[in-house]
Amino acid sequence: MQQSAELSTDKNEKAQIYLTLANMFAARDKSKSKEFIKKIMDISPERGDVYLLLASLYSNSINECASTEIEKKAINRLAKITAETAAKVEPRFKA
């Protein structure tokens, strides 16, 4: 599937394949999921849904990545900023 994305010449198709891969890996390999998210952002930075997926990934990683309250707050802040970016690039995501 990744090879299909890499070979595709259509940016929307490529982004959609990477989104499928990012969602597939979100639960079991967050690092790999983030790699696919970054690829989508490079291809289609105007997609707010991708920023929301990344914000969700950050939020769901707090207990795995943070051991102190300061680290947890920092990751929460990063998730919030990323979600706010979704609303900036795609206004339909404004709260």
Side-chain angles (χ1 to χ4, degrees):
M1 192 176 244
Q2 183 176 351
Q3 188 177 19
S4 295
E6 291 166 1
L7 295 174
S8 178
T9 56
D10 180 272
K11 95 172 195 169
N12 292 325
E13 178 184 36
K14 186 179 288 232
Q16 192 58 44
I17 294 169
Y18 283 137
L19 182 60
T20 300
L21 289 165
N23 281 314
M24 285 172 49
F25 282 95
R28 65 176 191 252
D29 189 345
K30 290 176 180 63
S31 179
K32 190 71 172 170
S33 180
K34 187 177 176 185
E35 286 177 34
F36 291 121
I37 290 169
K38 293 292 188 180
K39 288 182 183 208
I40 302 166
M41 289 175 170
D42 289 342
I43 298 165
S44 299
E46 73 283 354
R47 290 190 58 165
D49 61 331
V50 177
Y51 288 91
L52 290 178
L53 178 59
L54 183 58
S56 174
L57 201 63
Y58 289 147
S59 291
N60 293 332
S61 300
I62 289 175
N63 292 329
E64 296 169 29
C65 299
S67 57
T68 67
E69 283 303 310
I70 291 173
E71 290 172 342
K72 289 178 182 180
K73 286 180 182 180
I75 294 171
N76 266 326
R77 181 73 181 134
L78 180 59
K80 182 179 182 218
I81 291 168
T82 305
E84 288 169 351
T85 302
K88 287 178 187 172
V89 299
E90 200 169 342
R92 71 184 175 115
F93 291 115
K94 285 188 178 175

Coordinates of all heavy atoms in Angstrom, one line a residue:
M1 N 0.8 -1.2 0.0 CA 0.0 0.0 0.0 C 0.9 1.3 0.0 O 0.6 2.2 -0.7 CB -0.9 0.0 1.2 CG -2.0 1.0 1.1 SD -3.1 0.9 2.5 CE -4.6 0.5 1.7
Q2 N 1.9 1.3 0.8 CA 2.8 2.4 0.8 C 3.5 2.6 -0.5 O 3.6 3.8 -1.0 CB 3.9 2.2 1.9 CG 4.8 3.4 2.0 CD 5.9 3.2 3.1 OE1 5.8 2.3 3.9 NE2 6.8 4.1 3.2
Q3 N 3.8 1.6 -1.2 CA 4.4 1.7 -2.5 C 3.4 2.3 -3.5 O 3.8 3.1 -4.4 CB 4.8 0.3 -3.0 CG 5.6 0.4 -4.3 CD 6.1 -1.0 -4.8 OE1 5.6 -2.0 -4.3 NE2 7.1 -1.0 -5.6
S4 N 2.1 2.0 -3.4 CA 1.1 2.6 -4.2 C 1.1 4.1 -4.0 O 1.0 4.8 -5.0 CB -0.3 2.0 -3.9 OG -0.4 0.7 -4.1
A5 N 1.2 4.5 -2.8 CA 1.2 6.0 -2.5 C 2.4 6.6 -3.2 O 2.4 7.7 -3.8 CB 1.2 6.2 -1.0
E6 N 3.6 6.0 -3.0 CA 4.8 6.5 -3.5 C 4.8 6.6 -5.1 O 5.4 7.5 -5.6 CB 6.0 5.7 -3.0 CG 6.2 5.9 -1.6 CD 7.2 4.8 -1.0 OE1 7.7 4.0 -1.7 OE2 7.4 4.9 0.3
L7 N 4.1 5.7 -5.7 CA 4.1 5.6 -7.2 C 3.0 6.5 -7.7 O 3.0 6.9 -8.9 CB 3.9 4.2 -7.6 CG 5.1 3.2 -7.4 CD1 4.7 1.8 -7.8 CD2 6.3 3.7 -8.1
S8 N 2.0 6.9 -6.9 CA 0.9 7.7 -7.4 C 1.4 9.1 -7.8 O 2.2 9.7 -7.2 CB -0.2 7.8 -6.4 OG -1.2 8.6 -6.8
T9 N 0.8 9.5 -8.9 CA 1.1 10.9 -9.4 C 0.0 11.9 -9.0 O 0.1 13.1 -9.2 CB 1.3 10.9 -10.9 OG1 0.2 10.4 -11.6 CG2 2.5 10.1 -11.3
D10 N -1.1 11.4 -8.5 CA -2.2 12.2 -8.1 C -2.1 12.5 -6.6 O -2.1 11.6 -5.8 CB -3.6 11.4 -8.4 CG -4.8 12.3 -7.9 OD1 -5.1 12.2 -6.8 OD2 -5.3 13.0 -8.8
K11 N -2.0 13.8 -6.3 CA -1.7 14.2 -4.9 C -2.8 13.8 -4.0 O -2.6 13.5 -2.8 CB -1.3 15.7 -4.8 CG -2.4 16.6 -4.5 CD -1.9 18.0 -4.3 CE -3.0 18.9 -3.6 NZ -2.6 20.1 -3.1
N12 N -4.1 13.9 -4.4 CA -5.2 13.6 -3.6 C -5.2 12.1 -3.3 O -5.5 11.6 -2.2 CB -6.5 14.0 -4.2 CG -6.6 15.5 -4.2 OD1 -6.2 16.2 -3.3 ND2 -7.3 16.0 -5.2
E13 N -4.9 11.3 -4.3 CA -4.9 9.8 -4.1 C -3.7 9.4 -3.2 O -3.9 8.6 -2.3 CB -4.7 9.1 -5.5 CG -4.6 7.6 -5.4 CD -4.4 6.9 -6.7 OE1 -3.6 7.5 -7.5 OE2 -4.9 5.8 -6.9
K14 N -2.6 10.1 -3.4 CA -1.4 9.8 -2.6 C -1.7 10.1 -1.1 O -1.5 9.3 -0.2 CB -0.3 10.7 -3.1 CG 1.1 10.4 -2.4 CD 2.2 11.3 -3.0 CE 2.5 10.8 -4.4 NZ 3.9 10.5 -4.6
A15 N -2.3 11.3 -0.9 CA -2.7 11.7 0.5 C -3.7 10.8 1.1 O -3.6 10.4 2.3 CB -3.2 13.2 0.5
Q16 N -4.6 10.3 0.3 CA -5.7 9.4 0.9 C -5.1 8.1 1.2 O -5.4 7.5 2.3 CB -6.8 9.2 -0.2 CG -8.0 8.5 0.4 CD -8.6 9.3 1.6 OE1 -8.7 10.5 1.6 NE2 -8.9 8.6 2.7
I17 N -4.1 7.6 0.5 CA -3.5 6.3 0.8 C -2.7 6.5 2.1 O -2.7 5.6 3.0 CB -2.6 5.8 -0.4 CG1 -3.5 5.4 -1.6 CG2 -1.8 4.6 0.1 CD1 -2.7 5.2 -2.9
Y18 N -1.9 7.6 2.2 CA -1.1 7.8 3.4 C -2.0 8.0 4.6 O -1.7 7.5 5.7 CB -0.2 9.0 3.2 CG 1.0 8.8 2.4 CD1 1.4 9.7 1.4 CD2 1.8 7.7 2.6 CE1 2.6 9.5 0.7 CE2 2.9 7.4 1.8 CZ 3.3 8.4 0.9 OH 4.5 8.2 0.1
L19 N -3.2 8.6 4.4 CA -4.2 8.7 5.5 C -4.7 7.4 6.0 O -4.8 7.1 7.2 CB -5.3 9.6 5.1 CG -6.4 9.9 6.2 CD1 -5.8 10.6 7.4 CD2 -7.5 10.7 5.6
T20 N -5.0 6.5 5.0 CA -5.4 5.1 5.4 C -4.3 4.4 6.2 O -4.5 3.8 7.2 CB -5.7 4.3 4.1 OG1 -6.8 5.0 3.4 CG2 -6.1 2.9 4.5
L21 N -3.0 4.6 5.7 CA -1.9 4.0 6.4 C -1.7 4.6 7.8 O -1.5 3.9 8.8 CB -0.6 4.1 5.6 CG -0.6 3.3 4.4 CD1 0.6 3.7 3.4 CD2 -0.3 1.8 4.7
A22 N -1.8 5.9 7.9 CA -1.7 6.6 9.2 C -2.8 6.1 10.2 O -2.4 5.8 11.4 CB -1.8 8.1 9.0
N23 N -4.0 5.9 9.7 CA -5.0 5.4 10.6 C -4.8 3.9 11.0 O -5.1 3.5 12.1 CB -6.4 5.5 9.9 CG -6.9 7.0 10.0 OD1 -6.9 7.6 11.1 ND2 -7.4 7.5 8.9
M24 N -4.3 3.2 10.1 CA -4.0 1.7 10.4 C -2.9 1.6 11.4 O -3.0 0.7 12.3 CB -3.5 1.0 9.1 CG -4.6 0.7 8.1 SD -4.0 0.1 6.5 CE -2.9 -1.2 7.0
F25 N -1.9 2.5 11.4 CA -0.8 2.4 12.4 C -1.1 3.2 13.7 O -0.3 3.0 14.6 CB 0.5 2.9 11.7 CG 1.1 1.9 10.8 CD1 0.9 1.9 9.5 CD2 1.9 0.9 11.3 CE1 1.4 1.0 8.6 CE2 2.5 -0.1 10.5 CZ 2.3 0.0 9.1
A26 N -2.1 4.0 13.7 CA -2.3 4.9 14.9 C -2.4 4.2 16.2 O -1.8 4.7 17.2 CB -3.6 5.7 14.7
A27 N -2.9 3.0 16.3 CA -3.1 2.3 17.5 C -1.9 1.5 17.9 O -1.5 1.4 19.1 CB -4.3 1.4 17.5
R28 N -1.2 0.9 16.9 CA -0.1 0.0 17.3 C 1.3 0.6 17.1 O 2.3 0.1 17.7 CB -0.2 -1.3 16.5 CG -0.1 -1.2 15.0 CD -0.2 -2.6 14.4 NE 0.2 -2.5 13.0 CZ -0.6 -2.6 12.0 NH1 -1.9 -2.9 12.2 NH2 -0.2 -2.6 10.8
D29 N 1.5 1.6 16.2 CA 2.8 2.1 16.0 C 2.6 3.6 15.7 O 2.6 4.1 14.5 CB 3.5 1.4 14.8 CG 4.9 1.8 14.6 OD1 5.4 2.8 15.2 OD2 5.6 1.1 13.9
K30 N 2.5 4.4 16.8 CA 2.3 5.8 16.6 C 3.4 6.6 15.9 O 3.1 7.5 15.1 CB 2.1 6.4 18.0 CG 0.8 6.0 18.7 CD 0.6 6.5 20.1 CE -0.6 6.1 20.7 NZ -0.8 4.7 20.9
S31 N 4.6 6.1 16.0 CA 5.7 6.7 15.3 C 5.6 6.6 13.8 O 5.8 7.5 13.0 CB 7.0 6.1 15.8 OG 8.1 6.7 15.1
K32 N 5.2 5.4 13.4 CA 5.0 5.1 12.0 C 3.8 5.9 11.5 O 3.8 6.5 10.4 CB 4.8 3.6 11.7 CG 4.8 3.2 10.3 CD 6.1 3.3 9.7 CE 6.2 2.7 8.3 NZ 7.4 3.0 7.6
S33 N 2.7 6.0 12.3 CA 1.6 6.8 11.9 C 1.9 8.2 11.7 O 1.5 8.9 10.7 CB 0.5 6.6 13.0 OG -0.7 7.4 12.7
K34 N 2.7 8.8 12.6 CA 3.2 10.2 12.5 C 4.0 10.4 11.2 O 3.9 11.4 10.6 CB 4.0 10.6 13.7 CG 4.3 12.0 13.7 CD 5.1 12.4 15.0 CE 5.5 13.9 14.9 NZ 6.3 14.3 16.1
E35 N 4.8 9.4 10.8 CA 5.5 9.5 9.5 C 4.6 9.7 8.3 O 4.8 10.5 7.5 CB 6.4 8.3 9.3 CG 7.6 8.1 10.1 CD 8.3 6.8 9.9 OE1 8.3 6.3 8.7 OE2 8.9 6.3 10.8
F36 N 3.5 8.9 8.3 CA 2.5 9.0 7.2 C 1.8 10.4 7.3 O 1.5 11.0 6.3 CB 1.6 7.9 7.3 CG 2.2 6.6 6.9 CD1 2.2 5.5 7.7 CD2 2.8 6.4 5.6 CE1 2.8 4.3 7.4 CE2 3.4 5.2 5.3 CZ 3.4 4.1 6.1
I37 N 1.5 10.8 8.5 CA 0.8 12.1 8.7 C 1.7 13.2 8.1 O 1.2 14.1 7.4 CB 0.5 12.3 10.2 CG1 -0.6 11.4 10.6 CG2 0.1 13.8 10.4 CD1 -0.9 11.4 12.1
K38 N 3.0 13.2 8.4 CA 3.9 14.2 7.9 C 4.0 14.2 6.4 O 4.1 15.2 5.8 CB 5.3 14.0 8.5 CG 5.4 14.2 10.0 CD 5.2 15.7 10.3 CE 5.5 15.9 11.8 NZ 5.3 17.3 12.2
K39 N 3.9 13.0 5.8 CA 3.9 12.9 4.4 C 2.7 13.6 3.8 O 2.7 14.3 2.8 CB 4.0 11.5 3.9 CG 5.4 10.9 4.1 CD 5.4 9.4 3.6 CE 6.8 8.9 3.9 NZ 7.2 7.8 3.0
I40 N 1.5 13.4 4.4 CA 0.3 14.0 4.0 C 0.4 15.5 4.1 O 0.0 16.3 3.2 CB -0.9 13.5 4.8 CG1 -1.1 12.0 4.7 CG2 -2.2 14.2 4.3 CD1 -2.0 11.4 5.7
M41 N 1.0 16.0 5.2 CA 1.1 17.4 5.4 C 2.0 18.0 4.3 O 1.8 19.2 3.9 CB 1.7 17.7 6.8 CG 0.7 17.5 7.9 SD 1.5 17.7 9.5 CE 0.0 17.7 10.5
D42 N 3.0 17.3 3.9 CA 3.9 17.8 2.8 C 3.2 17.9 1.5 O 3.4 18.8 0.7 CB 5.1 16.9 2.7 CG 6.1 17.0 3.8 OD1 6.1 18.0 4.6 OD2 6.9 16.0 4.0
I43 N 2.3 16.9 1.3 CA 1.5 16.9 0.0 C 0.3 17.9 0.0 O 0.1 18.6 -0.9 CB 1.0 15.5 -0.2 CG1 2.1 14.5 -0.4 CG2 0.1 15.4 -1.5 CD1 1.6 13.0 -0.3
S44 N -0.4 17.9 1.1 CA -1.6 18.7 1.2 C -1.7 19.4 2.6 O -2.5 19.0 3.5 CB -2.9 17.7 1.1 OG -2.9 17.1 -0.2
P45 N -0.9 20.4 2.8 CA -0.9 21.1 4.1 C -2.2 21.8 4.4 O -2.4 22.2 5.6 CB 0.2 22.1 3.9 CG 0.3 22.3 2.4 CD 0.0 21.0 1.8
E46 N -3.2 21.9 3.5 CA -4.4 22.5 3.7 C -5.5 21.6 4.3 O -6.6 22.0 4.6 CB -5.0 23.1 2.4 CG -5.5 22.1 1.4 CD -4.5 21.3 0.6 OE1 -3.3 21.6 0.7 OE2 -4.9 20.3 -0.1
R47 N -5.1 20.3 4.6 CA -6.1 19.3 5.1 C -6.1 19.4 6.7 O -5.3 18.9 7.4 CB -5.7 17.9 4.7 CG -5.9 17.7 3.2 CD -5.8 16.3 2.8 NE -6.8 15.5 3.5 CZ -7.1 14.2 3.2 NH1 -6.5 13.7 2.1 NH2 -7.9 13.5 3.9
G48 N -7.2 20.0 7.2 CA -7.3 20.1 8.6 C -7.5 18.8 9.3 O -7.1 18.6 10.5
D49 N -8.2 17.8 8.6 CA -8.4 16.5 9.2 C -7.1 15.8 9.6 O -7.0 15.1 10.6 CB -9.2 15.6 8.3 CG -8.6 15.3 7.0 OD1 -7.8 16.2 6.5 OD2 -8.9 14.3 6.4
V50 N -6.1 16.1 8.9 CA -4.8 15.5 9.2 C -4.2 16.1 10.5 O -3.6 15.3 11.3 CB -3.8 15.6 8.0 CG1 -2.5 15.0 8.3 CG2 -4.4 15.0 6.7
Y51 N -4.3 17.4 10.6 CA -3.9 18.0 11.9 C -4.6 17.5 13.1 O -4.1 17.3 14.1 CB -4.0 19.5 11.8 CG -3.0 20.1 10.9 CD1 -3.3 20.3 9.5 CD2 -1.7 20.5 11.3 CE1 -2.3 20.9 8.6 CE2 -0.8 21.0 10.4 CZ -1.1 21.2 9.1 OH -0.2 21.8 8.3
L52 N -5.9 17.2 12.9 CA -6.7 16.7 14.0 C -6.3 15.2 14.3 O -6.3 14.8 15.5 CB -8.2 16.7 13.6 CG -8.9 18.0 13.6 CD1 -10.3 17.9 13.2 CD2 -8.8 18.7 14.9
L53 N -5.9 14.5 13.3 CA -5.4 13.1 13.5 C -4.1 13.2 14.3 O -3.9 12.4 15.3 CB -5.2 12.4 12.2 CG -4.6 11.0 12.3 CD1 -5.5 10.1 13.1 CD2 -4.4 10.4 10.9
L54 N -3.3 14.1 13.9 CA -2.0 14.3 14.7 C -2.2 14.7 16.1 O -1.6 14.2 17.0 CB -1.1 15.3 13.9 CG 0.3 15.5 14.5 CD1 1.1 14.2 14.6 CD2 1.1 16.5 13.7
A55 N -3.2 15.6 16.3 CA -3.5 16.1 17.7 C -4.0 14.9 18.5 O -3.7 14.7 19.7 CB -4.6 17.2 17.6
S56 N -4.8 14.1 17.9 CA -5.3 12.9 18.6 C -4.2 11.9 18.9 O -4.2 11.3 20.0 CB -6.4 12.2 17.7 OG -6.8 11.0 18.2
L57 N -3.3 11.8 18.0 CA -2.1 10.9 18.2 C -1.3 11.4 19.4 O -0.9 10.6 20.3 CB -1.3 10.9 17.0 CG -0.3 9.7 16.8 CD1 -1.1 8.4 16.6 CD2 0.5 10.0 15.5
Y58 N -1.1 12.7 19.5 CA -0.4 13.3 20.6 C -1.2 13.0 21.9 O -0.6 12.6 22.9 CB -0.2 14.8 20.5 CG 0.8 15.2 19.4 CD1 0.6 16.4 18.7 CD2 1.9 14.5 19.1 CE1 1.5 16.8 17.7 CE2 2.8 14.9 18.2 CZ 2.6 16.1 17.4 OH 3.5 16.5 16.5
S59 N -2.5 13.3 21.9 CA -3.3 13.1 23.1 C -3.3 11.6 23.6 O -3.2 11.4 24.8 CB -4.7 13.5 22.9 OG -4.8 14.9 22.7
N60 N -3.3 10.7 22.7 CA -3.3 9.3 23.0 C -2.0 8.8 23.4 O -1.9 7.6 23.8 CB -3.9 8.5 21.8 CG -5.4 8.8 21.6 OD1 -6.1 9.1 22.5 ND2 -5.8 8.6 20.4
S61 N -0.9 9.6 23.3 CA 0.4 9.1 23.6 C 0.9 9.6 24.9 O 2.0 9.3 25.3 CB 1.4 9.6 22.5 OG 1.1 9.1 21.2
I62 N 0.1 10.4 25.6 CA 0.6 11.1 26.8 C 1.1 10.1 27.8 O 2.2 10.3 28.3 CB -0.5 11.9 27.5 CG1 -0.8 13.2 26.6 CG2 -0.2 12.3 28.9 CD1 -1.9 14.0 27.0
N63 N 0.4 9.0 28.1 CA 0.8 8.1 29.1 C 2.1 7.3 28.7 O 2.8 6.8 29.5 CB -0.3 7.2 29.6 CG -1.4 7.9 30.3 OD1 -1.1 8.9 31.0 ND2 -2.6 7.5 30.2
E64 N 2.2 7.1 27.4 CA 3.4 6.4 26.9 C 4.6 7.2 26.9 O 5.8 6.7 27.0 CB 3.1 5.9 25.5 CG 2.0 4.9 25.4 CD 1.6 4.6 24.0 OE1 2.4 4.7 23.1 OE2 0.4 4.3 23.7
C65 N 4.5 8.5 26.6 CA 5.6 9.4 26.4 C 6.0 10.3 27.6 O 7.1 10.7 27.7 CB 5.3 10.3 25.2 SG 5.0 9.5 23.7
A66 N 5.0 10.6 28.5 CA 5.3 11.5 29.6 C 5.3 10.8 30.9 O 4.5 9.9 31.2 CB 4.2 12.6 29.6
S67 N 6.3 11.2 31.7 CA 6.4 10.6 33.0 C 6.1 11.6 34.1 O 5.9 11.2 35.3 CB 7.7 9.9 33.2 OG 8.8 10.8 33.0
T68 N 6.2 12.9 33.8 CA 6.0 13.9 34.8 C 4.8 14.7 34.4 O 4.4 14.7 33.2 CB 7.2 14.8 35.0 OG1 7.4 15.6 33.7 CG2 8.5 14.0 35.2
E69 N 4.2 15.5 35.4 CA 3.1 16.4 35.1 C 3.5 17.4 34.1 O 2.7 17.8 33.2 CB 2.6 17.0 36.4 CG 1.7 16.1 37.2 CD 0.6 15.5 36.4 OE1 -0.2 16.2 35.8 OE2 0.4 14.2 36.5
I70 N 4.7 17.9 34.1 CA 5.1 19.0 33.2 C 5.2 18.4 31.8 O 4.7 19.1 30.8 CB 6.5 19.5 33.6 CG1 6.4 20.3 34.9 CG2 7.1 20.4 32.5 CD1 7.7 20.8 35.5
E71 N 5.7 17.2 31.6 CA 5.7 16.6 30.3 C 4.3 16.3 29.8 O 4.0 16.5 28.6 CB 6.5 15.2 30.4 CG 8.0 15.4 30.6 CD 8.7 14.1 30.8 OE1 8.0 13.1 31.2 OE2 9.9 14.1 30.7
K72 N 3.4 15.9 30.7 CA 2.0 15.7 30.3 C 1.3 17.0 29.8 O 0.6 17.0 28.8 CB 1.2 15.0 31.4 CG 1.6 13.6 31.7 CD 0.8 13.0 32.8 CE 1.3 11.6 33.1 NZ 0.6 10.9 34.2
K73 N 1.6 18.0 30.5 CA 1.0 19.3 30.2 C 1.6 19.8 28.8 O 0.9 20.4 28.0 CB 1.3 20.4 31.2 CG 0.4 20.2 32.5 CD 0.7 21.2 33.5 CE -0.1 21.0 34.8 NZ 0.1 21.9 35.8
A74 N 2.9 19.6 28.6 CA 3.5 20.0 27.3 C 2.9 19.2 26.2 O 2.6 19.8 25.1 CB 5.0 19.7 27.4
I75 N 2.7 17.9 26.3 CA 2.1 17.1 25.2 C 0.6 17.6 25.0 O 0.2 17.7 23.9 CB 2.2 15.6 25.5 CG1 3.7 15.2 25.5 CG2 1.4 14.8 24.5 CD1 3.9 13.8 26.0
N76 N -0.1 17.8 26.1 CA -1.4 18.4 26.0 C -1.5 19.7 25.2 O -2.3 19.9 24.4 CB -2.1 18.6 27.3 CG -2.9 17.4 27.8 OD1 -3.5 16.7 26.9 ND2 -2.9 17.1 29.1
R77 N -0.5 20.5 25.5 CA -0.4 21.9 24.9 C -0.1 21.7 23.4 O -0.7 22.3 22.5 CB 0.7 22.7 25.5 CG 0.8 24.1 24.9 CD -0.3 25.0 25.3 NE -0.1 26.3 24.7 CZ -1.0 26.9 24.0 NH1 -2.2 26.5 23.9 NH2 -0.7 28.1 23.5
L78 N 0.8 20.7 23.1 CA 1.1 20.4 21.7 C -0.1 19.9 20.9 O -0.4 20.3 19.8 CB 2.3 19.4 21.6 CG 2.7 19.0 20.2 CD1 3.2 20.2 19.4 CD2 3.8 18.0 20.3
A79 N -0.9 19.1 21.6 CA -2.1 18.6 20.9 C -3.1 19.7 20.7 O -3.7 19.8 19.6 CB -2.8 17.5 21.8
K80 N -3.2 20.6 21.6 CA -4.1 21.8 21.5 C -3.7 22.7 20.3 O -4.5 23.1 19.5 CB -4.2 22.5 22.8 CG -5.1 23.7 22.7 CD -5.2 24.4 24.0 CE -6.3 25.6 23.9 NZ -5.9 26.8 24.6
I81 N -2.4 23.0 20.3 CA -1.9 23.8 19.2 C -2.1 23.2 17.9 O -2.5 23.8 16.9 CB -0.4 24.1 19.5 CG1 -0.2 25.1 20.7 CG2 0.3 24.7 18.2 CD1 1.2 25.2 21.2
T82 N -1.9 21.9 17.8 CA -2.1 21.1 16.5 C -3.5 21.2 16.1 O -3.8 21.4 14.9 CB -1.5 19.7 16.7 OG1 -0.2 19.7 17.1 CG2 -1.6 19.0 15.3
A83 N -4.4 21.0 17.1 CA -5.9 21.1 16.8 C -6.3 22.5 16.3 O -7.1 22.7 15.4 CB -6.7 20.7 18.0
E84 N -5.7 23.5 16.9 CA -5.9 24.9 16.5 C -5.4 25.1 15.1 O -6.1 25.9 14.3 CB -5.3 25.9 17.5 CG -6.0 25.9 18.8 CD -5.2 26.7 19.9 OE1 -4.0 27.0 19.7 OE2 -5.8 26.9 21.0
T85 N -4.3 24.5 14.7 CA -3.8 24.6 13.4 C -4.8 24.0 12.4 O -5.0 24.6 11.3 CB -2.5 23.9 13.3 OG1 -1.6 24.5 14.2 CG2 -1.9 24.1 11.9
A86 N -5.5 23.0 12.8 CA -6.5 22.4 11.9 C -7.6 23.4 11.6 O -8.0 23.5 10.4 CB -7.1 21.1 12.6
A87 N -8.0 24.2 12.6 CA -9.0 25.2 12.3 C -8.5 26.3 11.5 O -9.3 26.9 10.8 CB -9.5 25.7 13.7
K88 N -7.2 26.6 11.6 CA -6.6 27.7 10.8 C -6.6 27.3 9.3 O -6.8 28.1 8.4 CB -5.2 28.1 11.3 CG -5.3 28.8 12.6 CD -3.8 29.1 13.1 CE -3.9 29.7 14.5 NZ -2.5 29.8 15.0
V89 N -6.2 26.1 9.1 CA -6.0 25.7 7.7 C -7.3 25.3 7.0 O -7.5 25.3 5.8 CB -5.0 24.6 7.5 CG1 -3.6 25.0 7.9 CG2 -5.3 23.3 8.1
E90 N -8.3 24.9 7.9 CA -9.6 24.5 7.3 C -10.7 24.9 8.3 O -11.0 24.2 9.3 CB -9.6 22.9 7.2 CG -10.7 22.5 6.2 CD -10.6 21.0 5.8 OE1 -9.5 20.4 6.0 OE2 -11.6 20.5 5.4
P91 N -11.2 26.1 8.1 CA -12.1 26.8 9.1 C -13.3 25.9 9.5 O -13.9 26.2 10.6 CB -12.6 28.0 8.3 CG -11.4 28.3 7.4 CD -10.9 27.0 7.0
R92 N -13.7 24.9 8.8 CA -14.8 24.1 9.2 C -14.6 23.4 10.5 O -15.5 22.9 11.2 CB -15.3 23.1 8.1 CG -14.3 22.0 7.9 CD -14.7 21.1 6.8 NE -13.8 20.1 6.5 CZ -14.0 18.8 6.6 NH1 -15.1 18.4 7.1 NH2 -13.0 17.9 6.3
F93 N -13.3 23.3 11.0 CA -13.0 22.7 12.2 C -12.9 23.6 13.4 O -12.5 23.2 14.5 CB -11.6 21.9 12.1 CG -11.7 20.8 11.1 CD1 -10.9 20.7 10.0 CD2 -12.5 19.7 11.4 CE1 -11.0 19.7 9.1 CE2 -12.5 18.6 10.6 CZ -11.8 18.6 9.4
K94 N -13.3 24.8 13.2 CA -13.4 25.8 14.4 C -14.4 25.3 15.4 O -15.5 24.9 15.0 CB -13.7 27.2 13.9 CG -12.5 27.8 13.2 CD -12.7 29.3 13.0 CE -11.5 29.9 12.4 NZ -11.6 31.2 11.9
A95 N -14.1 25.4 16.6 CA -15.0 24.9 17.7 C -16.1 25.9 17.9 O -16.1 27.0 17.7 CB -14.2 24.7 19.0

